[in-house]
Amino acid sequence: MTLLAGEFVLMVAVAIYAPQRIAPDSGSIPMQWSLSGNVNWSAPRLLAFAFIPILALAAMLLLASSATIDPSALGLPGGIFLACQILHVLLVDRWSKAKRG
């Protein structure tokens, strides 16, 4: 459980850091890209950067409340959510820098 708590703290820290530093000139942030690199859809800044931590919290609470999952085994899915959030922030940063030229 300590690992999961640490991962969630990191997700919250990234969600707080990203809106201030990543793509500051954009009102909406890409949430999905096509294979050719085009943006498929976007979301407002705060929602875009908070989406994965909110989704992770909901999924972890659901999994932890399940009688079939050992709560100590939630570190791996938490790490996957953290990796997805970091990947999203890196992709948004690359998109923002390409857009600015």
Side-chain angles (χ1 to χ4, degrees), residues 9-95:
V9 167
L10 283 174
M11 280 190 255
V12 170
V14 170
I16 291 170
Y17 169 82
Q20 298 170 4
R21 303 286 184 192
I22 307 297
D25 54 340
S26 299
S28 69
I29 302 297
M31 294 294 290
Q32 183 183 35
W33 289 264
S34 68
L35 291 176
S36 63
N38 298 322
V39 175
N40 288 342
W41 66 280
S42 300
R45 293 183 70 72
L46 292 177
L47 178 62
F49 287 123
F51 180 78
I52 294 175
I54 292 169
L55 180 64
L57 179 63
M60 294 300 112
L61 288 174
L62 185 64
L63 287 172
S65 68
S66 170
T68 60
I69 302 289
D70 180 21
S72 65
L74 296 177
L76 179 62
I80 292 170
F81 276 113
L82 178 60
C84 289
Q85 183 186 21
I86 291 170
L87 176 63
H88 179 244
V89 169
L90 291 173
L91 289 172
V92 169
D93 187 42
R94 187 176 78 175
W95 166 82

